[in-house]
Amino acid sequence: MFDFINAYGGLGLAFLGAALAVGFSCAGSGKGTGIVGEAAAGLLSEQPDTFGKCLVLQVLPGTQGLYGLVVWFMAMIQIGLIGGSGLQQLDIAQGLSVFGACMPMAIGGYISAVAQGKVAASSVNLMARNPEQFSKGIIMGGIGYMAVQVDFIVS
């Protein structure tokens, strides 16, 4: 058993880290876009002409899923599954390093997607009261995402 873990444990940790990065980022994106969708549905029932602007705001928290997918691809390239170099044999330390490199995207992607969804939902409410403020809502959503990512990485 110890030989099996020693031989394949690093590879397993690398795969786990990549899967968590894309999984949590996509889960956060789903939750965030759902939050915005709920707010947008209320506005669209009263002002159907705002559909395009609501859609742009709803897309904002969906981007973390794409970032998680990019991290997954980078991890797969690192371990040799993609790129033609062949699957690498990773020891536990190497597997932990790939796992650790994926965790900021896993945790930060989930947290920031949900937070960005809340900001974008508030921006939908802002737009309902004052449609000219749409661009400010976009800016607030982008800054909110960056602030959560920087805060997570620093702490």
Side-chain angles (χ1 to χ4, degrees):
M1 182 68 163
F2 180 74
D3 291 335
F4 179 81
I5 291 173
N6 200 25
Y8 298 105
L11 195 58
L13 286 169
F15 276 119
L16 179 62
L20 290 174
V22 73
F24 277 109
S25 296
C26 287
S29 288
K31 186 168 178 136
T33 56
I35 292 168
V36 182
E38 290 174 10
L43 175 59
L44 290 173
S45 68
E46 298 290 325
Q47 301 174 24
D49 59 319
T50 61
F51 175 75
K53 292 179 178 181
C54 287
L55 187 62
V56 169
L57 288 168
Q58 190 174 18
V59 167
L60 285 176
T63 57
Q64 278 81 327
L66 293 174
Y67 303 147
L69 188 62
V70 168
V71 169
W72 181 84
F73 274 111
M74 293 174 70
M76 294 300 107
I77 290 168
Q78 182 68 30
I79 64 176
L81 188 65
I82 297 174
S85 63
L87 198 58
Q88 305 294 317
Q89 288 291 56
L90 304 177
D91 61 26
I92 298 292
Q94 292 168 324
L96 275 173
S97 69
V98 174
F99 179 86
C102 292
M103 286 303 94
M105 189 66 240
I107 299 167
Y110 181 84
I111 293 169
S112 66
V114 173
Q116 193 174 34
K118 291 176 182 178
V119 171
S122 295
S123 297
V124 168
N125 293 330
L126 171 67
M127 193 173 58
R129 296 180 199 277
N130 192 349
E132 295 82 34
Q133 302 300 319
F134 169 70
S135 59
K136 291 179 181 174
I138 295 280
I139 293 168
M140 287 188 299
I143 290 172
Y145 165 72
M146 292 184 305
V148 170
Q149 288 288 20
V150 169
D151 181 53
F152 175 75
I153 291 169
V154 170
S155 59

